Amino acid sequence: ESLTFGLYSSEKQTVTITAVAADGYTFYKWSDGLTTATRVDSATKDISVTAMFNDARVQITLDQGESTIKQGESLTINASVTLGGKSYDNSGVQWSVNDDMMQNGASYTFTPNATGDYRIKAGLEVNGTYTSQELMVHVQAPATTVSITGVSSMPAGSTTTLQANVSNPSGDTTWTCAQKPQWSATGDNVQFSADTVGSYTVRAANNGQYAELVINVTEPLSDPTVTPEPSDSGDQFPFFPFGGGN
C-alpha cells in the first residue's frame, strides 16, 4: 500500500508531512529512501514522493488447544501464519514454555520431565506487529501398572509366594482375595495359602490400578504307599532240581 503527495510551488516553501498508517498497516519508508514517517521538505521545485506501508495483519493459529498428557509423553504443536488473510512463512515462529525461550520453527514438540501446568506460547513479529497464541498443557504423573507373578495351581494346605510387579507406584501395594475375605496383605511379595479345594482370585492393587491372579487349589497330596521289605526270618527249604539226586 502507498500514498503519493506532491508539492508544487514557484516559491521556496517548507512543509512537514507525516505518513499515518491505517489499521493493520505499518509505515515502511518513503519512495526517496527516507525511513521516518514524518518528513520536512523545503522545495524550490516540484516534489513528488510516495509513502509506503506494510501489511501488519498477522495472525497465528495453533492446531492444539488446552491438553492433558502424562509425564514422559510428548505433544507436538503446529503453527500456521497468515498475513493480510494470506498464508505466510511460519519458520520464524518463536516458541516458549513458561516464558523460557525454546526454539524457532513451524512446530514444537513438548516432552515434559516433571508434572505440573505449562504455558506454551507461539509468537511472531511481522512488519513491526507482534502477535502470539498460547495454550496450557497439564502434565500428570505417569500411569501406574500392576501385574502378578505366581502359581496358577497349588495343593490345599500349602503356601505359595506371590509377587506384585508395579510401575510408577503410589504407596504400598495391597492384596485381597474374594474367596478368603479374612485374608489381606501389604507389600510387593506376600504369602498365600488355602486349606479348601476351589478357585481363588487374588487381587493386588496400587494407586487405583489392580491385577488379578486365579489360583486353583487342588486336593492335598497323599502320602506315598510304603511297601515293606521281605523278612529274613522263617524256614528255608532246599531246592532240588528235577532229574538230579539218587
Side-chain angles (χ1 to χ4, degrees):
E1 300 291 335
S2 65
L3 171 67
T4 302
F5 82 92
L7 180 61
Y8 310 101
S9 176
S10 59
E11 298 180 0
K12 183 176 181 179
Q13 296 184 52
T14 299
V15 63
T16 300
I17 300 293
T18 299
V20 179
D23 289 344
Y25 292 83
T26 58
F27 174 77
Y28 174 44
K29 67 177 182 179
W30 294 95
S31 57
D32 60 359
L34 188 64
T35 57
T36 57
T38 299
R39 62 183 296 144
V40 179
D41 292 294
S42 296
T44 57
K45 60 180 180 180
D46 294 346
I47 296 175
S48 179
V49 290
T50 300
M52 293 180 286
F53 302 88
N54 283 329
D55 194 336
R57 296 170 296 168
V58 58
Q59 290 185 329
I60 294 179
T61 302
L62 304 180
D63 69 345
Q64 300 283 355
E66 185 172 0
S67 303
T68 300
I69 62 175
K70 301 291 185 182
Q71 179 182 339
E73 295 179 344
S74 295
L75 177 69
T76 297
I77 310 160
N78 298 293
S80 58
V81 179
T82 59
L83 180 63
K86 298 179 180 179
S87 181
Y88 188 78
D89 179 25
N90 59 358
S91 62
V93 174
Q94 298 177 328
W95 298 88
S96 64
V97 177
N98 291 346
D99 294 327
D100 292 329
M101 190 65 185
M102 295 289 111
Q103 67 177 50
N104 288 5
S107 64
Y108 174 64
T109 298
F110 177 57
T111 306
N113 54 16
T115 59
D117 296 327
Y118 296 84
R119 181 169 57 90
I120 299 180
K121 182 178 181 180
L124 180 66
E125 182 177 346
V126 178
N127 296 333
T129 298
Y130 179 82
T131 189
S132 65
Q133 289 290 333
E134 58 185 53
L135 70 150
M136 292 299 299
V137 179
H138 309 286
V139 180
Q140 300 176 341
T144 299
T145 61
V146 183
S147 65
I148 299 176
T149 300
V151 299
S152 59
S153 65
M154 57 185 284
S158 64
T159 299
T160 187
T161 298
L162 304 177
Q163 177 178 326
N165 310 299
V166 184
S167 63
N168 306 310
S170 177
D172 293 328
T173 300
T174 58
W175 298 77
T176 56
C177 177
Q179 293 75 26
K180 287 187 64 175
Q182 76 280 7
W183 177 82
S184 64
T186 301
D188 290 338
N189 293 278
V190 299
Q191 301 290 312
F192 179 78
S193 62
D195 296 327
T196 304
V197 173
S199 181
Y200 294 78
T201 300
V202 179
R203 173 180 290 194
N206 189 295
N207 196 26
Q209 303 299 313
Y210 66 87
E212 293 182 337
L213 176 68
V214 176
I215 301 176
N216 294 309
V217 177
T218 59
E219 294 289 346
L221 297 176
S222 58
D223 293 333
T225 302
V226 178
T227 303
E229 294 290 335
S231 174
D232 290 336
S233 62
D235 297 331
Q236 300 293 324
F237 298 96
F239 172 71
F240 300 99
F242 291 101
N246 295 323

